[in-house]
Amino acid sequence: MILLAFVSNGNARMRARLVGPVRMACLVFSLLMLVLTTGMFFRYFGDVTWMDIGFNEYEFEHKYTWVESLGINWAVGLDALSFPMVWLTTFLLPVTIIATWNEKHGATYFPLLLMMGGALIGVFVSLDLFMFYVFWELTLIPMFFLILKWGGKDRKYASQKFFIYTFTASVVMLLGLITLYFLQDPYSLASSGTMTGRSFSIPELIDNARANNIGDNWYLGAQMQKILFVMLMIGFLVKLPAVPFHTWLPDAHVQAPTGGSMLLAGVMLKMGAYGMFRLPISLFPHALYHFQLALMIIGMVSLVWGAIVCLGQTNLKKMVAYSSVSHMGVILIGIATMQPMGWAAALFMMFAHGIISPMLFAVCGAFKHHYHSMEIGAMRGMAKHSPWLATSMMFAWMASLGLPLLAGFVAEIMMLIALWKMISVDGWSIWWMVGPALVLALTAAYYLWSMQRTIFEGGEDTQPPASMKGHAIPDISNSEKFAMLILALFTIIFGVLPWIALDMMDDWTIQAFEGLIIPLLKGGA
Amino acid sequence: MSTVQNVEPFGDGFIAALCPELIIFAGLLALIIIPNIGKGTFRIPGTQTRVMWLFGGERFKITSNPKMPAWIATITLGAAFVQTILSFQDGVDRTAIVTESGTQLLLVNGFSRVFEMIFFGALTLAAFASMNRLEVKGIGPKLSTDDLYNNRRQADFYILMLTCGLGMSVVALAQDLFVLFIGLELASFSTYVLVAFYKESKVGTEAGMKYFIVGSVASGVGLYGLSMLYLWAGSLQFDVLAAQFVINGTDPLPLIGIGFVLVGFGFKVSAAPFHFAAPDAYAGASSPVAGILATASKAMGIIGLIRMLLIVASPEASEDGTVWLTLLGIISLVTMTWGNIAALGSTNPKRMLAYSSVAHAGYMLAAITAIGAWNWDDSLAGEPGEAAVAVLTAVIFHLVVLVAFKLGAFLVLSVLESDGDASRLSSLGGLAKREPFLAVAMFIFMISLAGVPPLAGFVSKLLVIMGIVKVAIGQMGAEIMAGGDYGLADVHWVWWLALAMVINSAISMFYYLRVGVVMFFEEPEEGRTGPLPAGWQVRFAILACLMATLFMGVASDQLLEICEVAAKSLNYSWN
């Protein structure tokens, strides 16, 4: 895509020595991209109605042959599934740059952020399995360095753990992709490679799969479909991360610099959910039905376990990281409900969490930056000392626990409705409601409790923490204030007017249901 | 397809066909002669007349320049390399060098050309980079004896490099097991001495000795196997042996013979039970030489394996030809796992690279196993040779790009060696602060070895996995389209080798990343600060490796075509 060219050009030019110009240039480039994607939404660039794109149809498609003999193409395009994610990435980049305006070693830090953004956009826009995988792995490298160079005390351990966990999962996914590639009927697709006779093209694969996933007929046969579904899901579940594979996330987050955390939580986790929708779900709906219960259980466990662990955390950032695990559980449950509403909830959760969690981590970053500690008990009476930080913290916490009229609430309520629908229409046990209900209480509990301990307790007579070494307690800087304000503003916008993004997601899920699930249920018709 | 053009030695077209080898040969002669040119005179017997005949005596300033041999070798190898590349430009012709009785000795085709490309490319880079490694103690008559020896050593080192290249290209060309063996030994002996050449360090001599002893035992066993094959077939020609195998390949004699021959080649590629000398040799040799061992020498061993397993005991010919399959599969599994696990525990970067080289040998053995597995089920098999070409293309591609990043990694270590030593992981400490370019290059080589996109190592690993999966799945896709239902139990077991490969890649990530961590985030060792002393040549070679690693990763199409041509030219019936 044009955006990608922008990013790579930007990177090449930004190897200058001086921090100031580099930072400025990065900001300008990221803002340009934001303008471009926003313009796409408001139809200034390219006249696209985001509402009427059918399932497996793409806008702004571009395709160039890359490796002809293997059927690899440089194919990009956008649809209502990927566009919100791309917009989110371009939105978060400038915000992240602003929020971490004073990061040290800026001449390499900001270009790395931008590179990261480029790779993320690459994942979202690619319509070719090979390209998808390349960008998927490419996101690891800048993140690895962000954690390694700007991270906390245990950054070596955290960055390697992060890299190895996700790399292991994605090589399993890669083997699944290759097996899928060779299971195609040779020369059945338009962009098949001259040497292998198979194609990496995602749209063509999905079309092919749809043509064969009718009634009781499984694309690639029942056994293979299940195996491939599991192999691909391993890659995406680790990235998400779902509970048995989640342990890399808290480590990575606690050690990562603020900017890294913001992008990691904001967009990188969504890669997992995005990948699920794009590949296994679109290709293997039969297997999705087969593993519905398993996904539901994993989702529930993530949701509840994440929340329970949060209660016991004394480290602010670790708590936020586990709350991410909990929220990712919501996405999985949304998918597993097999209701259009549930899928839309998952998509909107991706989006909403993409705006809220960077704010959470920005608050954590500011906290660390100003009080030199991440411990919840270290600083008390923030409301007195740093009203700005206290306010933004309160806002972010509230948004994350799902206060009505904020973005997170919309997704959660949709998920609950979908779950309820699943129970009443599909006849699942009512006990499935216990998990989410419990978590609503738990989430409120850990957020409110931590707020109480940091913001309100103490007051007039509170001493600054020992880690301050007697310095005066500052409030957050102007750039941080600005970033928080923007994030808060958008949290409100998407909470009050969710349909701006939700309409297009709804549209995609309905189209996907018509394209994928209905043919299965209808039988051989 | 064009037919083979037969050429007798020194007949028409001989020079065109064997141009790279003849260039090397000329270079070899030049390297022997030129340093000896001096003001020597010759007294005609019975008279007092002295005739200048230019040999011996006081050397001229140019010819005695100790840097001279390095330049001659580099230019020679480089010219041979360019000549090989050029031969791809207007389609590779097939030329066989035959004896008077019409037996094929050497065959020039796409296959041999691409391997010549690997050998000469690796040797050119190594020779160029070695200019900074062998110390030159100045020029002139005032040097001490030691220094003179040292300067004299220059010529020896590069002569060995050239003979090594010559032997290797003979292996690539050979159409006869005996010729192949001669080439193998020529190259092997050169490498034994090259390993021992690093006499500045004590381990060098020891490593050379160890490598020599184990290597000659392996060669001896291989030779014994050859004699058994000769006893059985009465010939060592590949096509004769292959024809015999179709008829009675399950006789115990040839099977034992092949087993012995495989030991010989297994040593060269450092496959699992025969790999013990490799880490010592790599660690003891100077880094450019270790780089040659890990790239060119290994490619030579792979040629041997391919020739033996695919051409001679051709699995396409008979079901029984796959008798070695299970064993090879086990060897490959053990090799890759052992290599990776041993690499995890090694703190010497050169040993680590050696073990990673063992692991890579395992990956390639897995690919070769997959070719042998092709005939596993008639109902699922496709066109003959289709899978073999896919897998071979992958193996050849891997060997080509391996030169870029494996040799590159060794060259970075070579720069460090010129600063002291590179035998501890901590020697790499703080490299990012001392020489950012080298650190970035090393990091890219490492993650390319690990197989991270979009680098060349990823493409090659992907191709190998794709080849294996393709064989394992066969025509299952079409069967499924016809309504069949298959699971993993129906997939050939080589699929599990592919799984083992990806898991091993993940394991290998640990030690490759560790190098990056040490370079970027640890302080240099005591007393080692500032930029490194090595000259521009080695940096240039590293830059070339770096560019190749990046370029082959994103624009692999052309090289892939070349490799495909090479794979197809191995067996004419595959076209």
Side-chain angles (χ1 to χ4, degrees):
Chain A
M1 200 89 214
I2 321 144
L3 299 177
L4 278 167
F6 265 52
V7 175
S8 45
N9 273 344
N11 261 314
R13 281 185 227 158
M14 263 168 250
R15 287 294 166 197
R17 274 296 156 95
L18 296 166
V19 180
V22 170
R23 185 166 58 192
M24 223 37 229
C26 286
L27 183 62
V28 167
F29 266 101
S30 54
L31 281 175
L32 263 180
M33 291 196 298
L34 178 61
V35 168
L36 196 62
T37 47
T38 315
M40 276 177 178
F41 179 72
F42 289 113
R43 300 211 241 157
Y44 288 124
F45 306 108
D47 190 15
V48 175
T49 324
W50 291 104
M51 306 302 152
D52 291 333
I53 310 173
F55 175 64
N56 204 21
E57 283 170 18
Y58 306 91
E59 300 294 338
F60 298 106
E61 262 194 274
H62 290 270
K63 194 167 173 180
Y64 311 99
T65 310
W66 193 354
V67 184
E68 200 184 356
S69 51
L70 301 179
I72 297 172
N73 289 296
W74 176 272
V76 292
L78 286 170
D79 66 355
L81 172 62
S82 53
F83 181 73
M85 290 295 108
V86 172
W87 185 84
L88 188 64
T89 316
T90 54
F91 165 71
L92 282 183
L93 270 177
V95 173
T96 309
I97 291 173
I98 292 170
T100 55
W101 194 246
N102 294 318
E103 193 67 71
K104 40 190 190 212
H105 305 297
T108 43
Y109 174 81
F110 293 105
L112 268 179
L113 281 185
L114 214 58
M115 213 168 118
M116 177 89 194
L120 286 167
I121 293 172
V123 170
F124 294 131
V125 300
S126 57
L127 292 182
D128 184 280
L129 286 179
F130 181 84
M131 214 178 119
F132 176 81
Y133 184 79
V134 167
F135 280 117
W136 179 272
E137 294 287 335
L138 207 57
T139 55
L140 293 183
I141 297 168
M143 198 64 215
F144 175 72
F145 275 102
L146 279 177
I147 299 178
L148 198 51
K149 184 139 191 181
W150 288 270
K153 201 161 72 252
D154 291 327
R155 55 181 188 267
K156 279 181 204 158
Y157 170 75
S159 57
Q160 291 186 42
K161 186 172 178 180
F162 156 75
F163 203 111
I164 287 159
Y165 257 69
T166 44
F167 188 76
T168 312
S170 54
V171 288
V172 173
M173 179 179 91
L174 175 68
L175 185 60
L177 292 180
I178 293 173
T179 311
L180 163 69
Y181 176 80
F182 279 109
L183 277 173
Q184 297 166 42
D185 202 12
Y187 301 104
S188 58
L189 303 181
S191 57
S192 293
T194 53
M195 190 171 132
T196 52
R198 272 82 166 183
S199 166
F200 273 113
S201 162
I202 293 177
E204 290 179 20
L205 268 173
I206 293 178
D207 272 341
N208 206 359
R210 276 173 70 195
N212 289 289
N213 274 325
I214 294 171
D216 289 335
N217 192 21
W218 295 51
Y219 175 57
L220 300 180
Q223 293 182 44
M224 265 303 170
Q225 192 171 115
K226 287 178 206 162
I227 293 161
L228 291 178
F229 184 81
V230 169
M231 289 182 83
L232 297 189
M233 281 308 253
I234 286 175
F236 298 131
L237 283 177
V238 172
K239 198 72 163 194
L240 193 58
V243 141
F245 315 113
H246 69 289
T247 55
W248 63 268
L249 182 78
D251 284 321
H253 268 315
V254 171
Q255 301 303 332
T258 310
S261 280
M262 284 169 77
L263 278 186
L264 181 64
V267 200
M268 229 174 143
L269 302 188
K270 312 311 181 290
M271 277 164 59
Y274 169 82
M276 279 183 208
F277 277 111
R278 179 63 85 213
L279 293 172
I281 292 178
S282 296
L283 289 168
F284 311 124
H286 271 300
L288 180 61
Y289 261 113
H290 184 82
F291 290 108
Q292 186 185 3
L293 183 64
L295 282 182
M296 187 57 112
I297 290 170
I298 295 177
M300 281 289 173
V301 172
S302 301
L303 183 73
V304 178
W305 179 247
I308 291 175
V309 173
C310 275
L311 270 182
Q313 294 306 319
T314 55
N315 184 318
L316 205 58
K317 220 171 174 184
K318 216 163 190 165
M319 187 190 88
V320 173
Y322 273 109
S323 87
S324 277
V325 175
S326 180
H327 282 105
M328 292 300 109
V330 173
I331 293 182
L332 265 184
I333 294 175
I335 292 173
T337 54
M338 298 299 289
Q339 306 285 341
M341 177 75 98
W343 286 17
L347 287 180
F348 197 73
M349 191 56 169
M350 282 157 71
F351 191 70
H353 187 256
I355 294 177
I356 296 170
S357 67
M359 189 165 175
L360 295 174
F361 282 108
V363 168
C364 290
F367 193 90
K368 163 95 183 164
H369 190 72
H370 295 296
Y371 306 133
H372 307 288
S373 168
M374 278 323 301
E375 293 303 307
I376 289 180
M379 179 64 210
R380 288 170 194 271
M382 253 165 60
K384 169 90 175 83
H385 298 290
S386 343
W388 270 94
L389 183 55
T391 316
S392 12
M393 181 167 171
M394 206 164 103
F395 185 86
W397 264 222
M398 288 300 178
S400 185
L401 69 80
L403 200 70
L405 289 186
L406 299 181
F409 172 73
V410 181
E412 281 180 24
I413 199 79
M414 279 169 73
M415 187 273 287
L416 286 178
I417 295 171
L419 199 61
W420 195 251
K421 225 172 150 186
M422 182 185 85
I423 290 167
S424 58
V425 178
D426 295 349
W428 286 52
S429 160
I430 189 126
W431 291 103
W432 288 105
M433 281 308 280
V434 173
L438 190 68
V439 167
L440 279 183
L442 281 178
T443 312
Y446 65 73
Y447 273 133
L448 291 177
W449 191 30
S450 66
M451 277 202 302
Q452 186 239 331
R453 280 181 293 169
T454 44
I455 300 179
F456 303 117
E457 218 171 62
E460 295 294 330
D461 52 330
T462 317
Q463 292 302 312
S467 50
M468 294 295 294
K469 298 191 183 100
H471 292 290
I473 303 167
D475 206 346
I476 52 179
S477 65
N478 283 337
S479 65
E480 281 168 333
K481 272 181 209 164
F482 184 60
M484 305 268 189
L485 272 180
I486 294 175
L487 286 167
L489 183 67
F490 276 88
T491 313
I492 296 172
I493 289 179
F494 286 110
V496 181
L497 312 167
W499 64 83
I500 297 174
L502 197 54
D503 270 1
M504 101 174 44
M505 294 170 184
D506 249 350
D507 194 60
W508 187 84
T509 41
I510 288 165
Q511 300 273 10
F513 256 76
E514 275 172 14
L516 288 174
I517 308 297
I518 306 296
L520 302 190
L521 303 180
K522 263 190 196 159
Chain B
M1 273 326 272
S2 63
T3 48
V4 180
Q5 181 198 355
N6 284 334
V7 173
E8 286 192 17
F10 305 107
D12 280 345
F14 179 75
I15 292 181
L18 287 187
C19 194
E21 284 72 27
L22 294 175
I23 290 176
I24 299 280
F25 194 70
L28 201 52
L29 288 181
L31 206 46
I32 294 170
I33 293 169
I34 288 177
N36 286 315
I37 292 178
K39 293 176 184 158
T41 52
F42 174 71
R43 187 170 64 87
I44 298 171
T47 65
Q48 289 299 316
T49 332
R50 285 185 170 272
V51 181
M52 284 285 274
W53 80 313
L54 299 176
F55 276 105
E58 194 190 324
R59 308 292 194 268
F60 296 117
K61 207 163 184 186
I62 300 175
T63 56
S64 66
N65 186 342
K67 293 238 170 202
M68 187 73 173
W71 280 107
I72 295 176
T74 309
I75 290 167
T76 309
L77 287 163
F81 178 66
V82 170
Q83 178 65 33
T84 325
I85 299 262
L86 287 181
S87 71
F88 280 108
Q89 225 163 31
D90 26 61
V92 185
D93 53 337
R94 285 204 182 117
T95 316
I97 311 298
V98 296
T99 60
E100 273 176 43
S101 54
T103 331
Q104 285 187 359
L105 287 178
L106 307 174
L107 179 64
V108 183
N109 58 12
F111 183 78
S112 68
R113 285 280 190 236
V114 87
F115 274 98
E116 280 166 0
M117 193 171 93
I118 295 173
F119 299 145
F120 299 146
L123 285 167
T124 311
L125 287 172
F128 198 49
S130 292
M131 282 187 205
N132 300 134
R133 285 308 314 286
L134 286 177
E135 267 182 87
V136 172
K137 306 269 176 162
I139 309 159
K142 283 172 202 149
L143 292 173
S144 67
T145 326
D146 274 354
D147 289 346
L148 280 174
Y149 265 124
N150 206 44
N151 287 353
R152 172 66 219 183
R153 218 151 64 99
Q154 302 280 332
D156 302 348
F157 185 82
Y158 292 103
I159 287 174
L160 285 168
M161 273 211 168
L162 288 184
T163 50
C164 186
L166 200 57
M168 284 172 177
S169 58
V170 168
V171 172
L173 292 164
Q175 283 298 299
D176 183 306
L177 269 178
F178 191 69
V179 178
L180 191 147
F181 190 79
I182 290 175
L184 190 74
E185 285 306 282
L186 180 56
S188 298
F189 273 89
S190 314
T191 49
Y192 300 148
V193 185
L194 282 177
V195 169
F197 222 94
Y198 188 29
K199 64 170 188 183
E200 290 92 337
S201 93
K202 269 184 200 157
V203 284
T205 325
E206 185 198 331
M209 202 60 203
K210 218 180 239 173
Y211 193 54
F212 168 64
I213 291 171
V214 183
S216 19
V217 170
S219 300
V221 174
L223 195 57
Y224 187 51
L226 285 191
S227 66
M228 282 179 154
L229 287 176
Y230 187 71
L231 177 66
W232 169 68
S235 167
L236 285 174
Q237 287 279 302
F238 289 144
D239 41 2
V240 177
L241 283 171
Q244 282 284 318
F245 254 93
V246 177
I247 304 167
N248 47 6
T250 45
D251 288 355
L253 188 62
L255 291 185
I256 295 170
I258 284 192
F260 281 144
V261 174
L262 290 189
V263 172
F265 294 126
F267 172 77
K268 279 280 157 257
V269 297
S270 53
F274 321 114
H275 71 279
F276 290 104
D280 287 331
Y282 287 38
S286 78
S287 290
V289 173
I292 294 174
L293 292 185
T295 56
S297 182
K298 174 183 265 175
M300 181 174 74
I302 293 283
I303 297 180
L305 286 177
I306 290 174
R307 292 280 193 203
M308 280 314 290
L309 292 166
L310 293 188
I311 305 305
V312 175
S314 169
E316 311 255 355
S318 64
E319 292 277 317
D320 311 312
T322 58
V323 68
W324 287 104
L325 207 60
T326 322
L327 187 63
L328 257 187
I330 293 168
I331 289 183
S332 91
L333 185 64
V334 172
T335 307
M336 63 175 99
T337 316
W338 193 332
N340 275 322
I341 288 175
L344 276 182
S346 57
T347 51
N348 177 345
K350 279 162 92 177
R351 285 187 91 85
M352 186 207 86
L353 281 176
Y355 280 119
S356 107
S357 170
V358 172
H360 278 260
Y363 303 152
M364 278 180 277
L365 281 175
I368 291 174
T369 315
I371 307 175
W374 183 229
N375 251 9
W376 59 284
D377 187 346
D378 287 337
S379 66
L380 297 178
E383 291 283 310
E386 189 189 317
V389 168
V391 179
L392 268 181
T393 308
V395 171
I396 296 172
F397 186 89
H398 182 82
L399 289 171
V400 175
V401 294
L402 197 63
V403 173
F405 47 82
K406 191 90 181 211
L407 188 60
F410 273 113
L411 292 184
V412 174
L413 292 183
S414 166
V415 180
L416 275 168
E417 263 171 16
S418 57
D419 177 46
D421 77 330
S423 64
R424 286 181 308 278
L425 202 54
S426 53
S427 331
L428 285 160
L431 192 61
K433 286 196 195 93
R434 302 173 68 190
E435 294 244 353
F437 163 68
L438 289 182
V440 168
M442 187 71 171
F443 184 73
I444 286 176
F445 294 146
M446 284 296 126
I447 56 177
S448 178
L449 278 168
V452 175
L455 303 169
F458 166 69
V459 181
S460 74
K461 202 169 267 181
L462 177 85
L463 285 171
V464 171
I465 296 176
M466 275 173 71
I468 297 174
V469 171
K470 178 174 182 160
V471 170
I473 287 176
Q475 300 295 304
M476 198 178 272
E479 297 281 316
I480 283 172
M481 285 298 155
D485 184 12
Y486 294 89
L488 277 186
D490 304 304
V491 171
H492 192 266
W493 56 262
V494 286
W495 190 86
W496 297 100
L497 281 183
L499 187 66
M501 233 181 110
V502 296
I503 292 171
N504 264 296
S505 307
I507 297 176
S508 68
M509 212 64 228
F510 279 98
Y511 57 85
Y512 292 130
L513 278 185
R514 199 170 54 195
V515 172
V517 173
V518 169
M519 285 190 307
F520 285 91
F521 301 102
E522 273 176 22
E523 291 304 310
E525 279 180 325
E526 199 98 338
R528 296 181 78 168
T529 46
L532 295 155
W536 62 273
Q537 287 96 339
V538 65
R539 282 155 217 272
F540 182 81
I542 291 170
L543 183 66
C545 290
L546 185 63
M547 299 311 278
T549 308
L550 295 172
F551 182 72
M552 302 295 185
V554 288
S556 49
D557 215 9
Q558 209 168 14
L559 181 62
L560 209 56
E561 269 167 36
I562 291 178
C563 294
E564 197 187 345
V565 168
K568 276 184 178 164
S569 69
L570 193 60
N571 187 336
Y572 302 145
S573 63
W574 289 344
N575 283 293

